[in-house]
Amino acid sequence: MPDSRPSWVPPDIDLSTATLARVYDYMLGGAHNFAVDRAVAEQIERIVPGSTRTAWENRAFLRRAVRYCASQGIDQYLDIGSGIPTSGNVHEVARSLLPEARVVYVDIDSVAVIHSRSILADDELSGVVQGDLRVPEAILSDLVTQRLIDFERPVAVLLVALLHVVPDADHPAQLLTRLTSHTGSGSLLVISHFGRNYGTPEQVQALIEWSRGTATPLLVREPAEILALLGQFTPVPPGLVPVHEWRPDQDSPASTRSAGYAVVGRKG
């Protein structure tokens, strides 16, 4: 039986169709998801056992990358495809090093936007934009973005676990250029991306084929193709590596499995 409609869900939200943000929320132990999202997450886990762990690894990478950005003095963040808020959000991590850090969260999913706005209602240094990476100018010109981000200074642009649902037909490299062309020298671009190291070749292919029946089909890009998306950004050490190998915490448990690839690039 489908979920009854929670009071916080607007009437135009389709509870019968899963979304990437809510599936990810369920995998991370969140509560803002519906039966259809949970069913999809569990199906993904059956196709590639360990998929839930990879969601956690991506989240851990996000936190490490933000700490790195903050250690480089970057105090403004544009998080595209930010999803539904969970503990250890970008503003919390960045402000542990830079208390005045500013963050703009951007997502296409209405539920993610509603909850982000609710959580950040009293946070003058953070804002939320409902936007689509495929229309970067709308994100950049939004009044929230204009209020919080000074593009003449370095900014960290985050695209974690997003670009693998942006097909080549949408020209992702051009989208990233349009999104970042006005960022200041020293800006950082943070990316994680689905890859063939996600599971066995058979599991990866099965997941790709299954996803073709969803609203956000997955695609694999080879390491060289992911690096090509960086454009004018140069990878910082250790370069493009499996997600769990990007500057791992010394006290983190050792992982024996990759979850796609991660890279952070710097603008000269």
Side-chain angles (χ1 to χ4, degrees), residues 27-115:
M27 286 181 162
L28 292 174
H32 301 110
N33 49 77
F34 309 131
V36 64
D37 306 302
R38 297 189 284 274
V40 167
E42 289 162 4
Q43 188 170 9
I44 292 172
E45 181 69 25
R46 286 193 297 271
I47 294 171
V48 186
S51 291
T52 298
R53 185 180 65 205
T54 69
W56 284 95
E57 287 180 353
N58 259 289
R59 193 71 187 179
F61 160 69
L62 172 67
R63 291 193 292 268
R64 297 196 305 274
V66 171
R67 284 199 299 269
Y68 171 77
C69 293
S71 75
Q72 301 301 297
I74 293 185
D75 60 359
Q76 45 183 6
Y77 297 79
L78 187 58
D79 186 1
I80 313 292
S82 53
I84 295 172
T86 63
S87 62
N89 267 320
V90 172
H91 67 281
E92 295 171 337
V93 177
R95 289 177 194 164
S96 68
L97 293 175
L98 301 172
E100 298 301 311
R102 297 169 177 260
V103 180
V104 174
Y105 293 102
V106 182
D107 207 283
I108 195 172
D109 183 88
S110 297
V111 171
V113 170
I114 289 167
H115 279 281

Side-chain angles (χ1 to χ4, degrees), residues 15 38 47 49-50 87 100 118 124 128 143 160 195 198 206-207 213 215 219:
L15 303 192
R38 297 189 284 274
I47 294 171
S87 62
E100 298 301 311
S118 174
E124 295 183 356
V128 184
L143 293 179
V160 174
Y198 189 84
L207 186 57
L219 60 95

Side-chain angles (χ1 to χ4, degrees), residues 9-249:
V9 178
D12 59 338
I13 298 295
D14 180 6
L15 303 192
S16 66
T17 303
T19 70
L20 189 62
R22 297 199 306 263
V23 170
Y24 197 55
D25 175 69
Y26 175 63
M27 286 181 162
L28 292 174
H32 301 110
N33 49 77
F34 309 131
V36 64
D37 306 302
R38 297 189 284 274
V40 167
E42 289 162 4
Q43 188 170 9
I44 292 172
E45 181 69 25
R46 286 193 297 271
I47 294 171
V48 186
S51 291
T52 298
R53 185 180 65 205
T54 69
W56 284 95
E57 287 180 353
N58 259 289
R59 193 71 187 179
F61 160 69
L62 172 67
R63 291 193 292 268
R64 297 196 305 274
V66 171
R67 284 199 299 269
Y68 171 77
C69 293
S71 75
Q72 301 301 297
I74 293 185
D75 60 359
Q76 45 183 6
Y77 297 79
L78 187 58
D79 186 1
I80 313 292
S82 53
I84 295 172
T86 63
S87 62
N89 267 320
V90 172
H91 67 281
E92 295 171 337
V93 177
R95 289 177 194 164
S96 68
L97 293 175
L98 301 172
E100 298 301 311
R102 297 169 177 260
V103 180
V104 174
Y105 293 102
V106 182
D107 207 283
I108 195 172
D109 183 88
S110 297
V111 171
V113 170
I114 289 167
H115 279 281
S116 297
R117 286 176 175 163
S118 174
I119 290 170
L120 299 170
D122 298 322
D123 187 338
E124 295 183 356
L125 297 180
S126 296
V128 184
V129 173
Q130 184 158 10
D132 187 337
L133 174 62
R134 294 169 297 182
V135 192
E137 288 78 15
I139 296 171
L140 298 174
S141 64
D142 190 279
L143 293 179
V144 172
T145 308
Q146 291 290 309
R147 176 175 67 86
L148 290 170
I149 304 295
D150 176 4
F151 286 100
E152 294 185 1
R153 297 175 51 241
V155 56
V157 180
L158 316 175
L159 298 110
V160 174
L162 176 65
L163 291 172
H164 46 237
V165 296
V166 180
D168 291 339
D170 286 332
H171 307 291
Q174 293 180 22
L175 292 176
L176 294 193
T177 296
R178 288 158 58 189
L179 183 69
T180 63
S181 61
H182 299 296
T183 58
S185 178
S187 293
L188 294 170
L189 180 61
V190 176
I191 292 174
S192 70
H193 196 294
F194 177 64
R196 295 194 187 278
N197 62 348
Y198 189 84
T200 68
E202 294 77 16
Q203 289 172 332
V204 169
Q205 191 57 38
L207 186 57
I208 291 171
E209 291 176 2
W210 168 83
S211 74
R212 288 174 182 157
T214 72
T216 51
L218 291 167
L219 60 95
V220 170
R221 289 191 173 95
E222 301 301 332
E225 295 174 302
I226 299 172
L227 287 172
L229 298 175
L230 293 179
Q232 58 189 319
F233 289 78
T234 301
V236 303
L240 180 74
V241 295
V243 168
H244 69 274
E245 294 182 9
W246 197 91
R247 295 177 179 257
D249 296 325

